[in-house]
Amino acid sequence: MSTEIKNNADNRKANIKPQIPGKIVLATLILVAAVANLNLSVANVALPSIGLAFGASQVQINLVAVGFSLGLAASVLWFGALGDHHGRKMMLIIGTLIAIPASIIAGFAPTIEILIGARIIGGLAAGMAFPTTLALIAALWSGPIRTKSIALWSGIGAAIAALGPLFSGYLLLSNSWGSVFLITLPLAVIALIMAIKFVPSHINETKDPVDNIGGLMSLILLGTLILAINFAPVPNSETLIISLLIIAAVAGILFIMRQHKVQNPLYDLKIASRQIFWVAATAGIIVFGSLMGAMYIGQQFLQNVLGYSTLDAGISILPAAILMILVAPQSAKLVESHGSRFTLLLGYLFCLLGFMTMLLLWKDNIPYWEVGLAYAFVGIGVGLAGTPASHSLTGSVPVKREGMASGTADLQRDFGGAIMTSIFGALLTAGYAKAFATQISNLSPSAQQQISASIEATLTKSFASAATLAQQNPQYSAQIISAAKTSFLAGDHWAYLAGIIAIIIGAAIVFYKFPKMEEEKKLIVQYYNEDMILSEDVDEL
């Protein structure tokens, strides 16, 4: 490391208030991030209960699951830039503060529409707080310490997200579905107090103006794209889907044009085009998206098909959570010793094994070890790949653009989670409906005459709708539930196959496009020198 780089690192460390131990600052940032990570996953285990309570369609269930990540993914770039300019600590505190009423509204929502809206608001609140956590880690520490800090932030965050269903499952044993959205309240209060007390203010922030128009465009682009995917399987919604896609395309084109023209772009496309940056961003979107998608489909599979209780379904995820925590520190060591490319590919291998296990082994009446094995593979894979995916982003941008890097790192989780959950949900919905319709069409003509159009619509709407109909007609309950299970298994296999394809594509991109260890080091130094020269030129102007 050059003297210049060491001095830069020393200057960063000097910005930390001397009376505040670094570990407390890191613990506070991880705790703030935990509020968002937990909110991302607490709904999954309650989805069957929510579906029954509101008589919800599979699309509405999908929107409850994806609503939080939708709000977070759509806003994270804009709010991350606002934090870089106006103060990361301020954005962190405001976001954590708003998360409290959003959780309360979700917990006591009288309708499915209000619940979805509360989840989206909660995601927007997380968009204020979550990106600042990684931005502050990148601004406060450097070198191996930064790598270890990011590993802890990534590993613990992913593990907390995986543990969300466990906490939710325990609550649902004796409480209504709304209790799962209140889990984060005590955590949010503690995080808020610690953030006010321990997080330092104004660390390497920029005075450059924020491109708010570009921020609004990015919000519209990401939000409409995610919604379009969710509504894809809804019958007679072609006009809505096309309209959403057109809005997303126009917003995307205008966003790119604007980022090329403005002096201080929200998302610096020159930096984003750096090889390490864009490959790491793509890799992270697929890895974290696969995790969230697996948790989303898995919870419904465990309860709907295997008949697990909410608590048992939550406990089933423990192998993934434990292994993510255990593997994350080892991932940091692998990044330092073998480089990001090797560590990413190793993580992808385990994720692939996880989804192959789901596709081939997850059927009705299977023993738990086949469930736990899949989750263990995914946990190891995310634990390995999460650190290099985030570390490569922060290492390839100038300090004043840490908000952009952290926003992209957050986007990996949130946009990846929203997109993969939406895709998996859309495939599950379409596969389930098609399989159930096929079963009905294969019945004898006399049996088909007993099934009215409204009953068929209810049966093909979602597993929850079929289960409600089975309760109302106990004489046909066994046949309805059996058909619903068969249909669900057809739909979730579509989702697992999509996950496998995404992982293979991501691994190919990393293998062919991400530089090997020595080349990676050279590129990082090159990026640093380019940024220093550019910074000096700007200062002279």
Side-chain angles (χ1 to χ4, degrees):
M1 184 183 288
S2 68
T3 304
E4 196 170 35
I5 296 176
K6 287 182 178 178
N7 289 338
N8 183 57
D10 291 337
N11 289 336
R12 288 179 177 179
K13 294 173 184 176
N15 281 317
I16 303 177
K17 294 179 181 180
Q19 71 270 26
I20 300 175
K23 290 182 179 179
I24 293 182
V25 177
L26 180 60
T28 301
L29 296 175
I30 291 175
L31 187 61
V32 171
V35 176
N37 282 312
L38 197 56
N39 267 317
L40 277 170
S41 62
V42 290
N44 286 341
V45 75
L47 293 177
S49 301
I50 292 170
L52 288 171
F54 292 111
S57 68
Q58 187 63 49
V59 172
Q60 288 174 322
I61 293 172
N62 294 348
L63 287 172
V64 172
V66 81
F68 188 88
S69 52
L70 187 158
L72 182 48
S75 63
V76 72
L77 292 179
W78 187 11
F79 291 168
L82 288 173
D84 283 350
H85 179 79
H86 295 292
R88 298 184 183 115
K89 180 174 181 176
M90 181 191 71
M91 291 294 289
L92 186 149
I93 291 172
I94 293 174
T96 307
L97 192 61
I98 295 175
I100 296 173
S103 296
I104 294 173
I105 294 171
F108 296 99
T111 66
I112 190 74
E113 291 80 12
I114 291 177
L115 174 55
I116 293 170
R119 292 283 288 165
I120 294 173
I121 292 172
L124 293 171
M128 298 179 187
F130 197 44
T132 61
T133 57
L134 183 59
L136 282 166
I137 289 173
L140 290 169
W141 293 285
S142 62
I145 296 177
R146 180 202 278 184
T147 305
K148 292 177 181 177
S149 298
I150 292 175
L152 288 170
W153 177 87
S154 175
I156 294 175
I160 288 173
L163 284 171
L166 173 60
F167 302 141
S168 299
Y170 177 76
L171 282 176
L172 287 171
L173 289 178
S174 56
N175 299 280
S176 69
W177 59 265
S179 61
V180 304
F181 299 109
L182 307 179
I183 293 175
T184 57
L185 287 180
L187 195 65
V189 171
I190 295 171
L192 181 63
I193 294 171
M194 291 183 68
I196 293 171
K197 185 174 182 180
F198 296 125
V199 174
S201 303
H202 308 300
I203 302 297
N204 289 318
E205 291 162 2
T206 178
K207 297 185 182 300
D208 296 337
V210 178
D211 178 19
N212 290 308
I213 295 176
L216 183 60
M217 290 176 180
S218 71
L219 190 149
I220 294 172
L221 163 63
L222 296 171
T224 52
L225 178 60
I226 294 168
L227 285 174
I229 295 173
N230 275 275
F231 281 106
V234 179
N236 304 317
S237 60
E238 291 83 1
T239 302
L240 174 61
I241 296 168
I242 292 172
S243 299
L244 289 170
L245 289 175
I246 290 173
I247 294 172
V250 172
I253 293 170
L254 292 176
F255 178 76
I256 292 172
M257 291 174 60
R258 181 171 178 81
Q259 299 314 292
H260 278 298
K261 291 180 179 179
V262 295
Q263 186 175 359
N264 297 294
L266 177 77
Y267 203 76
D268 194 325
L269 297 179
K270 290 182 179 178
I271 293 175
S273 65
R274 289 175 173 178
Q275 190 173 358
I276 291 177
F277 189 96
W278 75 263
V279 176
T282 304
I285 286 173
I286 294 173
V287 165
F288 291 116
S290 298
L291 170 67
M292 300 308 295
M295 297 303 173
Y296 165 68
I297 298 290
Q299 283 300 305
Q300 296 181 74
F301 165 76
L302 293 175
Q303 294 182 59
N304 293 341
V305 177
L306 297 186
Y308 280 26
S309 69
T310 55
L311 179 60
D312 289 340
I315 292 174
S316 300
I317 298 174
L318 278 177
I322 292 171
L323 286 168
M324 274 188 276
I325 294 175
L326 294 177
V327 169
Q330 307 309 314
S331 174
K333 293 179 182 178
L334 282 173
V335 170
E336 294 294 332
S337 62
H338 290 77
S340 297
R341 179 177 179 272
F342 173 85
T343 313
L344 277 169
L345 288 173
L346 189 60
Y348 265 94
L349 174 61
F350 279 97
C351 286
L352 179 61
L353 290 173
F355 273 83
M356 289 293 293
T357 302
M358 295 175 198
L359 179 66
L360 299 176
L361 299 183
W362 280 21
K363 299 177 176 65
D364 196 6
N365 299 315
I366 63 171
Y368 170 71
W369 72 263
E370 295 181 9
V371 174
L373 180 64
Y375 280 135
F377 281 142
V378 172
I380 294 171
V382 175
L384 285 169
T387 299
S390 301
H391 175 267
S392 297
L393 294 174
T394 58
S396 59
V397 302
V399 174
K400 73 172 187 175
R401 284 291 181 184
E402 293 294 2
M404 172 182 164
S406 64
T408 304
D410 298 334
L411 201 63
Q412 290 177 329
R413 296 166 181 263
D414 314 322
F415 183 65
I419 286 294
M420 294 293 271
T421 300
S422 297
I423 292 173
F424 284 12
L427 290 171
L428 172 62
T429 302
Y432 172 86
K434 181 178 180 181
F436 216 128
T438 300
Q439 290 186 75
I440 292 174
S441 65
N442 290 336
L443 294 173
S444 63
S446 60
Q448 289 186 43
Q449 289 176 1
Q450 299 179 34
I451 302 175
S452 66
S454 61
I455 291 177
E456 182 174 353
T458 300
L459 291 172
T460 58
K461 183 179 179 182
S462 67
F463 189 98
S465 296
T468 300
L469 190 63
Q471 290 176 355
Q472 296 168 351
N473 299 272
Q475 69 274 29
Y476 302 114
S477 178
Q479 296 96 315
I480 293 173
I481 294 300
S482 176
K485 284 185 178 182
T486 301
S487 302
F488 185 94
L489 287 171
D492 75 355
H493 277 58
W494 288 18
Y496 302 144
L497 185 59
I500 289 171
I501 293 171
I503 290 169
I504 291 174
I505 292 173
I509 292 172
V510 172
F511 183 83
Y512 288 107
K513 293 297 183 180
F514 202 97
K516 295 182 179 179
M517 185 175 179
E518 292 304 317
E519 181 62 23
E520 179 186 5
K521 290 180 178 179
K522 291 178 182 178
L523 283 174
I524 292 293
V525 173
Q526 176 186 323
Y527 297 154
Y528 177 81
N529 291 333
E530 290 174 357
D531 296 333
M532 289 298 294
I533 293 171
L534 180 61
S535 179
E536 290 172 0
D537 290 343
V538 171
D539 290 340
E540 289 178 2
L541 292 175

